[in-house]
Amino acid sequence: MSDSTTQTSPAASTGTARVKRGMAEMLKGGVIMDVVTPDQAKIAEDAGAVAVMALERVPADIRAQGGVSRMSDPDMIDGIIEAVSIPVMAKARIGHFVEAQVLQSLGVDYIDESEVLTPADYANHIDKWEFTVPFVCGATNLGEALRRITEGAAMIRSKGEAGTGDVSNATTHMRSIRQEIRRLQNLPEDELYVAAKELQAPYELVKEVARAGKLPVVLFTAGGIATPADAAMMMQLGAEGVFVGSGIFKSGNPAERAEAIVKATTFFDDPDAIAKVSRGLGEAMVGINVDEIPQPHRLAERGW
Amino acid sequence: MSSPVVGVLAVQGDVREHLRALEESGAHAIAVRRPEEVERVDGLVLPGGESTTMDKLLRAFDLQQPLRERIARGMPAYGSCAGMILLADKVLDSTTDQQTIGGLDVTVRRNAFGRQVDSFETDLTMSGVDGAPIRAVFIRAPWVEAVGPAVEVLATVPDGPAAGRVVAVRQGSLLATSFHPEVTGDHRIHRFFVTEILRR
């Protein structure tokens, strides 16, 4: 699988691993924002988003309203594609390969096979190699990330706990993925076989990560990011970019907050710059502490 | 001869890949995010990424003017994909308020090949780069729609629906490609920039 990135054929080819993973490379250092209308998409683009995620309800509303959450209405996705010139992503339910087929036919630029929606298959994720459009998937730890990459994900994001404004789970997931990579780097070659078994991931991929000290795809963070400082902290923890869901359009001043998070993501290691952009943003989203959410309602526990 | 210092514009995009490609091409590569860093470099690479985002950050962090001045004074620069858009004097299919650094007398069309499902890789030849064809990776890429008299066309798309479209150009010390040599591990274009353009 990973050698598909080095194979070449003289003719032009679409949907190669390099083209899919390369798309995510171009988003690095950027912020991808959840939007539910073309107007919000425009605000996100004007604020400097590198892409928008089109969905029907932001995670905070999915959480508040309950019910089954599905792929967005094609008309809504068309409207958002029409409204902006930056890449448009959209979410499909875990395992729902037909929603993914529909999203590909609508021309979305990236599909998020997302735990934020209600899973459609509790055993299998989508076979993402079958698609021309690239996929991003959530992960809480290294094994989960590697299983998604094995299924064809071209980008990984930490899951965090979406719709909470509580960044603690994203922190845990980022730290866990980075720690497990560091652990692999320090293992002798002959212990990588057992490591692969424990991670429930293919040996070749585990070896590749141990050697490179990083995932073979871009790693973003998501789930609970609500402030410029949250975004900058995730970047300092090793995220290569940031997804912001409810944090922008559930806040008091979306346009300014969006712009501030974009700037803080670029200057994530400069406290003076983060302080400057954090002033006068008004109310952040109110938020829910992850601890107060009963276990069955925690989205990060969907997917495996 | 000491290594030239080459900056990679690091407000957003695939900065790390360009830094590595430059280091492996005999340059000392540094990330450039602040006006004072612009003064420290002998040449600059503008990476792939989202051109509208980069434009906004360049203006917000007072980089646009210093970059325009250095390029006007002849600083060598190479832009790939979004970097090509930033170097172009004119952009089609831009957002309404989009600005560029400019300097390269070309008109480029943003997202010219289509959406991500149309992104592709292919082999092409580029003048100035000897040896086997280059594996060119186009990701929501722009193409060059019109060139001024001082601009030399270095490569076009060899076949397919976009055959003949201009995808690599040079004007004096400015170089631009629609595609991303930094993601392939083949650093011949970076070496061309460092040895042929920077050390000229």
Side-chain angles (χ1 to χ4, degrees):
Chain A
M1 159 206 38
S2 53
D3 57 355
S4 58
T5 56
T6 52
Q7 272 169 15
T8 56
S9 66
S13 25
T14 57
T16 61
R18 191 149 56 191
V19 164
K20 290 173 170 178
R21 293 175 180 187
M23 172 75 206
E25 302 284 354
M26 302 312 147
L27 301 172
K28 284 192 298 195
V31 181
I32 299 165
M33 303 180 189
D34 276 6
V35 298
V36 300
T37 64
D39 286 344
Q40 287 187 355
K42 200 72 201 116
I43 291 170
E45 182 176 63
D46 289 344
V50 288
V52 292
M53 176 73 71
L55 71 173
E56 214 141 49
R57 298 180 284 170
V58 293
D61 288 335
I62 292 173
R63 197 176 278 293
Q65 295 158 4
V68 174
S69 198
R70 311 176 178 92
M71 174 189 82
S72 301
D73 180 343
D75 284 340
M76 199 275 292
I77 292 172
D78 280 349
I80 288 172
I81 287 177
E82 205 48 50
V84 295
S85 65
I86 56 176
V88 175
M89 302 183 166
K91 287 184 194 289
R93 281 180 269 176
I94 289 174
H96 206 313
F97 53 88
V98 174
E99 283 190 350
Q101 290 164 2
V102 170
L103 292 173
Q104 174 165 291
S105 102
L106 292 174
V108 307
D109 297 296
Y110 236 95
I111 294 175
D112 184 359
E113 185 182 19
S114 178
E115 71 284 359
V116 169
L117 307 184
T118 310
D121 186 330
Y122 282 92
N124 305 289
H125 282 70
I126 297 169
D127 175 4
K128 293 165 274 285
W129 297 110
E130 288 298 305
F131 290 79
T132 308
V133 68
F135 281 74
V136 55
C137 288
T140 59
N141 57 50
L142 180 61
E144 199 175 356
L146 296 181
R147 289 192 292 280
R148 297 295 86 78
I149 294 167
T150 307
E151 296 155 2
M155 179 179 188
I156 295 292
R157 55 171 176 76
S158 69
K159 282 184 178 172
E161 189 56 35
T164 59
D166 178 348
V167 80
S168 63
N169 275 24
T171 305
T172 307
H173 301 159
M174 285 305 304
R175 282 195 185 278
S176 156
I177 292 169
R178 296 286 306 268
Q179 263 164 22
E180 291 170 292
I181 291 175
R182 282 194 298 271
R183 179 177 165 266
L184 286 186
Q185 283 181 283
N186 290 326
L187 286 183
E189 286 268 328
D190 62 350
E191 291 180 21
L192 287 177
Y193 298 99
V194 172
K197 192 186 76 177
E198 287 165 357
L199 288 166
Q200 298 176 50
Y203 167 73
E204 288 299 330
L205 191 52
V206 169
K207 197 169 79 175
E208 187 182 345
V209 171
R211 196 161 292 163
K214 64 185 282 300
L215 295 178
V217 303
V218 167
L219 173 64
F220 267 48
T221 188
I225 288 103
T227 69
D230 288 349
M233 177 175 167
M234 290 301 116
M235 294 294 286
Q236 289 197 28
L237 286 173
E240 296 179 285
V242 179
F243 284 87
V244 185
S246 320
I248 290 172
F249 290 100
K250 285 285 160 189
S251 75
N253 191 341
E256 282 186 24
R257 182 165 296 267
E259 200 179 313
I261 293 176
V262 169
K263 290 176 179 170
T265 301
T266 294
F267 282 91
F268 66 93
D269 55 353
D270 181 341
D272 293 341
I274 300 163
K276 195 171 154 202
V277 303
S278 300
R279 291 175 198 278
L281 295 181
E283 286 290 305
M285 71 178 284
V286 176
I288 319 167
N289 296 317
V290 175
D291 275 352
E292 291 163 13
I293 304 170
Q295 207 83 24
H297 298 292
R298 294 191 191 166
L299 304 176
E301 289 165 21
R302 293 173 172 175
W304 37 91
Chain B
M1 186 158 55
S2 67
S3 307
V5 178
V6 183
V8 177
L9 184 64
V11 291
Q12 190 272 319
D14 69 336
V15 176
R16 192 179 54 216
E17 287 68 21
H18 277 292
L19 289 170
R20 189 187 309 131
L22 287 166
E23 286 284 347
E24 289 172 12
S25 302
H28 174 55
I30 63 167
V32 169
R33 277 188 308 182
R34 296 182 173 86
E36 59 270 26
E37 290 160 352
V38 174
E39 289 308 316
R40 264 184 240 150
V41 299
D42 302 316
L44 185 74
V45 168
L46 302 102
E50 176 47 52
S51 64
T52 58
T53 301
M54 290 195 223
D55 163 41
K56 289 191 174 76
L57 290 165
L58 291 183
R59 285 189 271 158
F61 292 103
D62 303 319
L63 283 159
Q64 190 196 57
Q65 216 39 50
L67 287 171
R68 280 184 176 167
E69 283 163 18
R70 288 269 347 241
I71 285 172
R73 296 204 311 262
M75 174 179 70
Y78 164 46
S80 72
C81 196
M84 171 190 259
I85 295 172
L86 291 176
L87 285 177
D89 283 343
K90 285 200 204 91
V91 184
L92 304 173
D93 292 340
S94 58
T95 55
T96 42
D97 68 336
Q98 188 169 358
Q99 298 179 13
T100 68
I101 299 164
L104 195 56
D105 184 13
V106 297
T107 302
V108 301
R109 184 176 296 280
R110 206 168 142 242
N111 300 333
F113 295 90
R115 306 198 65 84
Q116 172 61 14
V117 288
D118 307 305
S119 293
F120 66 104
E121 50 179 290
T122 192
D123 283 348
L124 55 74
T125 52
M126 178 165 157
S127 2
V129 180
D130 297 330
I134 289 165
R135 192 66 181 165
V137 181
F138 295 86
I139 298 172
R140 286 176 53 100
W143 66 43
V144 179
E145 207 142 301
V147 299
V151 176
E152 186 188 350
V153 172
L154 301 181
T156 57
V157 177
D159 45 30
R165 289 293 179 179
V166 174
V167 291
V169 291
R170 176 182 179 180
Q171 176 191 327
S173 57
L174 302 179
L175 176 71
T177 61
S178 303
F179 52 89
H180 295 280
E182 72 277 12
V183 302
T184 61
D186 177 351
H187 302 321
R188 283 177 291 165
I189 293 175
H190 290 82
R191 215 170 304 133
F192 174 71
F193 178 64
V194 171
T195 57
E196 299 297 317
I197 297 183
L198 258 161
R199 288 188 164 148
R200 203 164 44 128

